[in-house]
Amino acid sequence: MAEGATEAPAESGGGGDSGAGALERGVAPIKPQYLTTKERFHEFLEAKGQEKPSRETEAGDPGGNDLGEPEAKRIRLEDGQTGDGRTEDGQTEDGRTEDGRTEEAAEPGEQPQAQKRARGQNKGRPHVKPTHYDKDRLCPSLVQEPATQCAFGARCRFLHDVGRYLAAKPADLGPRCVLFETFGRCPAGVTCRFAGAHLGPGGRNLVRQEQGVQAPPVRNGLDKALQQQLRKRQVRFERAEQALRQLSRGQLPGPPSAVPEATEAEGAPAQDPQELGTVAPASGPVQTCGALTDEDIVRLRPCEKRRLDISGKLYLAPLTTCGNLPFRRVCKRFGADVTCGEMAVCTNLLQGQTSEWALLRRHQCEDIFGVQLEGAFPDTMTKCAELLNRTVDVDFVDINVGCPIDLVYKKGGGCALMQRSGKFQQIVRGMSQVLDVPLTVKLRTGVQERTPLAHRLLPELRTWGAALVTLHGRSREQRYTKLADWRYIEQCVAAASPMPLFGNGDILSYEDANRAMQTGVAGVMIARGALLKPWLFTEIKEQRHWDISASERLDILRDFTHYGLEHWGSDTQGVERTRRFLLEWLSFLCRYVPVGLLERLPQRLNERPPYFLGRDYLETLLASQRAADWIRISEMLLGPVPRDFVFLPKHKANAYK
């Protein structure tokens, strides 16, 4: 991949002449016999593949432009333009969005300043919580087994009449309950949307005695007692406070090498290696109590920490929203070696937020698993690291120094840490001192495109205590408008040595992975490529292109829904949460082009598919870029959507209802 090469705009990505897309850069080269226009594509889907679309519709809208655009997605250029030539939603002046596509051309006679563009992110998208779809909810005290007395009594806002609840409950979504078949008992009981498979007389929840009740194979849950202590700020962080005191006095822990134990216990300045053998005087007497143990005397030296040996393994990137536990289970099935939880905000974890702690959950199939933390200050990050060190089961902890979004960047986290070397150093040193597992870091090349910073930070990270670094070959300013710079990653491999460096960016085939490994990286991290085709891990390991069928792809989605029901529950709230995450994933899956339809292999990540008719109806439906068609796919797996259901994808806004 050429350094600094830009993604060419996909000028015919919205339809038009059926043979034009194959000759343009930025457009996937699909065989001419499969190409079509947007009008014919949607007409074929509306006819459910029973009728051949007529060619008369081609003249109706040659540009293939959608006529109806949701009001929430309409913005004015004068309001959205920023000083650096980039709009607030991530678009550049030439009309190219963050993912490399061009927006639709303005109508004849329309002024450029009045041109409508889709947002790069749906910040104002309508969102309905899954709980709102189940208004007449049964009291949790009756769902538990055995049933307990409701603590709120007459003040409880939930139903306490099981018969009334069953009369108002919507029809079951299917005859089989995945949880009942897997674990021998469904925790949702009478509230399960597949309750017909395990309900006895009087709404009694049945249990398979011959199978026995099995506990869900998920670890790293939040204990209620710990949650209360966190909310009341009753948790003590002795190791973190000691490390922070040393950092504030300038007594920074030494590099991860064989140094005297007394030096590591008290801390020594890293600037002067000759002073590593000296011990800094204590600030005052320390009161102690209890028996003296080896743990008080013998410190875990950095060289004695658990090692992270993942060189040559396939690393699934921590993907916000889509990188949930059910999706990681799918990727593990297809050969992912290393998995990492979604980015968790350290301040939310320290406050005991249930939703944030859910990002740390680990399935038993994840044999090499880490969690990723985001924060901007040494005190919160170090305390959070100590908290995780003694409460969760992980193989490594990763620091997010690559998040480009404004919400994180403007608070000093994510990519901003690359420009705050003092805070960055204290965070890495402090976390490394309190963790018994390896500490890793995920970086971008820098903040500005023309001012890379990673090559200067990598040698420092090695001395600060990082065990491994992953480098995404783009800057914050670039987002996804250009190809990943693998030449720069190759330069950074030498700067990081002997610390292992993983590379990340634009890997969608085994050929891309092979070229990446030729740069000398210890391994590759796969992000968007796994969202487009989670079987990419199998392709890399078997060194082949998999022409996967549409029915096989639907089976993958069905497995995801089963994993989702296990993870989020099988009641209305769990079903709709599973549907939401499925729809977010489908907004990426639609970009995949089947191998048998391509004129040349492989498909590249910056190439968007023009409109095409697949080899069958299902293959065509899976290629649709409309949210309404994604909802139709979800109904094939999870039943009909609730009344007033609305969905717009989180990451883009060109999917019209």
Side-chain angles (χ1 to χ4, degrees):
M1 300 178 185
E3 180 179 5
T6 60
E7 287 186 352
E11 296 178 3
S12 66
D17 184 68
S18 61
L23 301 177
E24 296 179 5
R25 295 179 58 194
V27 180
I30 297 179
K31 296 177 181 177
Q33 62 265 33
Y34 296 106
L35 292 172
T36 187
T37 61
K38 178 182 285 188
E39 291 292 332
R40 295 182 62 202
F41 178 87
H42 292 301
E43 181 181 334
F44 178 80
L45 291 182
E46 291 300 326
K48 299 188 182 301
Q50 300 299 322
E51 301 177 4
K52 292 290 184 180
S54 62
R55 294 186 173 270
E56 298 177 358
T57 59
E58 294 184 26
D61 186 12
N65 297 324
D66 282 319
L67 301 179
E69 181 178 359
E71 191 68 29
K73 297 188 296 187
R74 298 180 178 179
I75 60 173
R76 293 179 300 175
L77 290 180
E78 59 267 24
D79 293 338
Q81 191 75 32
T82 59
D84 61 352
R86 179 186 300 275
T87 55
E88 292 178 348
D89 57 351
Q91 295 172 350
T92 54
E93 284 185 309
D94 60 355
R96 191 169 58 245
T97 58
E98 290 179 354
D99 50 23
R101 290 172 302 165
T102 54
E103 300 300 323
E104 297 175 359
E107 296 294 332
E110 188 178 4
Q111 298 297 326
Q113 60 268 23
Q115 179 181 354
K116 301 180 182 65
R117 294 187 180 182
R119 289 183 183 271
Q121 181 181 4
N122 281 330
K123 298 180 181 179
R125 67 189 186 281
H127 180 69
V128 180
K129 293 185 177 180
T131 53
H132 294 177
Y133 293 123
D134 195 5
K135 297 180 181 179
D136 298 328
R137 300 177 62 189
L138 193 64
C139 181
S141 63
L142 298 177
V143 180
Q144 299 174 2
E145 292 186 4
T148 59
Q149 185 70 24
C150 180
F152 297 93
R155 296 181 292 111
C156 183
R157 59 190 177 94
F158 299 119
L159 291 177
H160 290 79
D161 187 348
V162 177
R164 179 183 169 190
Y165 172 79
L166 288 174
K169 181 185 175 185
D172 283 357
L173 298 176
R176 297 172 54 240
C177 176
V178 180
L179 278 74
F180 181 65
E181 294 179 355
T182 305
F183 305 115
R185 185 183 72 86
C186 179
V190 69
T191 63
C192 176
R193 294 303 306 274
F194 309 88
H198 53 78
L199 281 189
R204 184 171 56 90
N205 197 25
L206 301 179
V207 178
R208 281 186 175 176
Q209 299 294 342
E210 67 280 2
Q211 182 178 355
V213 178
Q214 303 177 14
V218 177
R219 289 169 281 176
N220 298 346
L222 176 59
D223 183 71
K224 289 295 182 182
L226 175 61
Q227 185 180 41
Q228 290 296 328
Q229 291 176 351
L230 289 171
R231 290 177 175 177
K232 296 179 180 179
R233 298 186 178 182
Q234 296 176 347
V235 180
R236 299 187 61 185
F237 302 96
E238 292 86 357
R239 295 180 63 181
E241 290 171 357
Q242 180 181 357
L244 291 169
R245 283 195 299 268
Q246 294 177 5
L247 291 170
S248 64
R249 294 199 301 261
Q251 297 172 344
L252 303 176
S257 59
V259 295
E261 294 178 4
T263 303
E264 295 182 13
E266 299 295 333
Q271 293 82 356
D272 189 359
Q274 297 180 354
E275 297 181 7
L276 286 177
T278 62
V279 180
S283 58
V286 179
Q287 295 183 357
T288 60
C289 63
L292 185 67
T293 64
D294 291 341
E295 194 173 333
D296 297 317
I297 304 174
V298 181
R299 290 263 180 171
L300 185 66
R301 298 163 65 179
C303 60
E304 296 172 337
K305 284 187 177 183
R306 190 188 312 173
R307 294 186 179 275
L308 183 65
D309 185 13
I310 59 173
S311 296
K313 296 185 181 294
L314 298 179
Y315 188 166
L316 174 64
L319 301 164
T320 303
T321 303
C322 292
N324 45 68
L325 186 144
F327 176 76
R328 298 199 303 269
R329 289 183 64 182
V330 171
C331 292
K332 285 295 295 184
R333 273 187 46 213
F334 287 106
D337 298 312
V338 184
T339 55
C340 187
E342 301 174 65
M343 180 188 74
V345 181
C346 66
T347 52
N348 295 343
L349 294 174
L350 291 173
Q351 293 170 3
Q353 292 188 13
T354 306
S355 58
E356 207 73 18
W357 276 81
L359 305 178
L360 310 179
R361 292 186 179 178
R362 172 183 189 172
H363 193 266
Q364 65 178 9
C365 70
E366 298 181 275
D367 48 350
I368 305 178
F369 174 75
V371 295
Q372 187 182 68
L373 297 182
E374 182 278 322
F377 301 100
D379 56 344
T380 54
M381 289 289 279
T382 305
K383 290 179 180 179
C384 188
E386 182 183 356
L387 177 64
L388 298 186
N389 190 68
R390 63 186 186 218
T391 56
V392 300
D393 178 21
V394 296
D395 298 296
F396 63 93
V397 175
D398 187 72
I399 305 177
N400 186 318
V401 196
C403 184
I405 64 174
D406 292 341
L407 182 67
V408 173
Y409 180 81
K410 290 182 178 179
K411 293 181 179 179
C415 282
L417 283 175
M418 300 186 70
Q419 294 180 319
R420 305 169 69 218
S421 58
K423 295 292 185 186
F424 191 13
Q425 177 182 182
Q426 291 181 338
I427 288 174
V428 176
R429 288 187 182 273
M431 293 180 67
S432 178
Q433 192 174 10
V434 301
L435 283 173
D436 296 334
V437 295
L439 179 68
T440 66
V441 179
K442 187 173 188 294
L443 295 170
R444 281 183 179 246
T445 59
V447 178
Q448 282 81 28
E449 178 183 355
R450 298 183 180 180
T451 312
L453 302 173
H455 65 284
R456 289 187 288 175
L457 289 171
L458 287 171
E460 300 292 335
L461 284 169
R462 184 177 67 247
T463 61
W464 296 346
L468 180 143
V469 172
T470 302
L471 179 59
H472 182 187
R474 293 183 178 89
S475 65
R476 176 184 184 265
E477 185 182 43
Q478 286 177 259
R479 297 291 179 97
Y480 295 99
T481 56
K482 293 186 178 181
L483 295 175
D485 191 349
W486 280 92
R487 287 187 182 178
Y488 181 70
I489 294 178
E490 185 174 6
Q491 298 172 12
C492 290
V493 171
S497 181
M499 180 180 62
L501 180 73
F502 268 57
N504 170 232
D506 298 334
I507 296 178
L508 192 59
S509 66
Y510 74 88
E511 285 124 327
D512 295 335
N514 293 344
R515 281 193 296 268
M517 291 300 296
Q518 292 173 3
T519 62
V521 294
V524 293
M525 173 183 278
I526 300 174
R528 288 182 299 161
L531 293 175
L532 268 65
K533 52 181 199 180
W535 55 92
L536 173 60
F537 302 97
T538 301
E539 290 189 349
I540 295 175
K541 290 189 173 181
E542 298 181 0
Q543 294 288 291
R544 67 182 176 96
H545 295 293
W546 185 353
D547 190 8
I548 191 169
S549 66
S551 59
E552 289 176 308
R553 293 166 63 193
L554 186 65
D555 289 339
I556 295 173
L557 298 177
R558 183 175 290 107
D559 290 338
F560 174 85
T561 59
H562 290 172
Y563 299 154
L565 295 176
E566 289 183 24
H567 185 57
W568 291 299
S570 58
D571 57 352
T572 299
Q573 183 175 353
V575 169
E576 295 312 314
R577 182 166 282 120
T578 302
R579 191 192 307 274
R580 287 278 173 182
F581 285 106
L582 173 64
L583 292 172
E584 293 286 357
W585 185 21
L586 285 170
S587 67
F588 285 93
L589 278 173
C590 65
R591 305 181 192 178
Y592 170 72
V593 180
V595 170
L597 275 60
L598 289 170
E599 281 192 326
R600 63 151 174 81
L601 296 175
Q603 178 187 0
R604 297 191 176 95
L605 200 54
N606 66 314
E607 292 178 341
R608 292 309 180 88
Y611 284 91
F612 65 89
L613 297 179
R615 291 165 289 190
D616 54 38
Y617 170 75
L618 182 58
E619 193 168 72
T620 307
L621 180 63
L622 289 170
S624 176
Q625 298 182 18
R626 290 200 315 180
D629 292 325
W630 305 337
I631 294 175
R632 190 187 309 178
I633 296 172
S634 77
E635 291 181 325
M636 298 167 60
L637 303 169
L638 292 170
V641 297
R643 184 179 301 176
D644 302 328
F645 181 87
V646 179
F647 174 77
L648 280 177
K650 179 179 180 180
H651 69 285
K652 64 176 183 177
N654 71 327
Y656 297 166
K657 295 174 58 180

